[in-house]
C-alpha cells in the first residue's frame, strides 16, 4: 500500500485546512485508516482514526475541531481541520492502521507527509 498525503499549507489561527491521503490498493475499503502528526522536536502522535465501517475516534487535543472521513470510491481519506491553533503546526501523515492491544497502530512505512503551519 502506498500512501500520499497532501493539502497542507499555511493557515492563520482560527482558520481551516483540508488534508487528503490517497492510497493504492484494490481493498482500500477494508482498511482502517489514521492520521498522525509530528511537530519539531516531538514524537509522532496519533490524531484520528476511521475504521472500515466508518467509525471515528480522535485525540483529545483535536476533538470537536477535526473531522476524519473517507471516500472508498476514490481510495482517499480526508482530515478536515477547523479552528486551527498554532500548536497544530506539524507534519501530518496518514497510514493504514490496525487494532493492536486495544489501540490503533500504524501498519505501513511512513510516507513524506504534508506540512501544516498555523500562525498566531
Amino acid at each position: 500500500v502506498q500512501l500520499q498525503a497532501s493539502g497542507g499549507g499555511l493557515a492563520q489561527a482560527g482558520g481551516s485546512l483540508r488534508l487528503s491521503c490517497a492510497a493504492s490498493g484494490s481493498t482500500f475499503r477494508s482498511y482502517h485508516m489514521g492520521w498522525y502528526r509530528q511537530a519539531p522536536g516531538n514524537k509522532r502522535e496519533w490524531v484520528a482514526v476511521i475504521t472500515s465501517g466508518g467509525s471515528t475516534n480522535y485525540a483529545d487535543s483535536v476533538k470537536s475541531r477535526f473531522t476524519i472521513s473517507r471516500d472508498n470510491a476514490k481510495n482517499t481519506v480526508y482530515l478536515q481541520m477547523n479552528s486551527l491553533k498554532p500548536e497544530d503546526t506539524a507534519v501530518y501523515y496518514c497510514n493504514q492502521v490496525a487494532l493492536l492491544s486495544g489501540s490503533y497502530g500504524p501498519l505501513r512505512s511512513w510516507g513524506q507527509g504534508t506540512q501544516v503551519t498555523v500562525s498566531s
Side-chain angles (χ1 to χ4, degrees):
V1 175
Q2 291 186 324
L3 303 161
Q4 181 64 53
S6 62
L10 178 63
Q12 291 189 332
S16 299
L17 284 172
R18 187 194 196 202
L19 306 184
S20 299
C21 172
S24 64
S26 59
T27 57
F28 174 80
R29 62 178 62 251
S30 70
Y31 302 163
H32 304 322
M33 295 295 297
W35 282 98
Y36 293 76
R37 67 186 182 185
Q38 186 169 18
N42 290 0
K43 293 182 179 179
R44 187 174 284 136
E45 64 176 0
W46 167 75
V47 173
V49 65
I50 185 165
T51 69
S52 58
S55 298
T56 60
N57 201 8
Y58 300 90
D60 288 344
S61 59
V62 306
K63 200 170 292 184
S64 79
R65 299 188 298 121
F66 290 9
T67 303
I68 188 171
S69 62
R70 65 191 298 158
D71 185 337
N72 290 333
K74 297 181 178 179
N75 278 22
T76 300
V77 62
Y78 303 98
L79 186 68
Q80 178 67 44
M81 306 186 296
N82 298 329
S83 301
L84 284 164
K85 302 176 180 181
E87 51 263 44
D88 294 320
T89 295
V91 178
Y92 283 71
Y93 303 86
C94 61
N95 209 322
Q96 183 185 358
V97 300
L99 189 59
L100 304 169
S101 301
S103 64
Y104 285 97
L107 283 180
R108 306 293 179 180
S109 299
W110 295 104
Q112 284 190 326
T114 186
Q115 175 71 48
V116 171
T117 302
V118 184
S119 63
S120 58

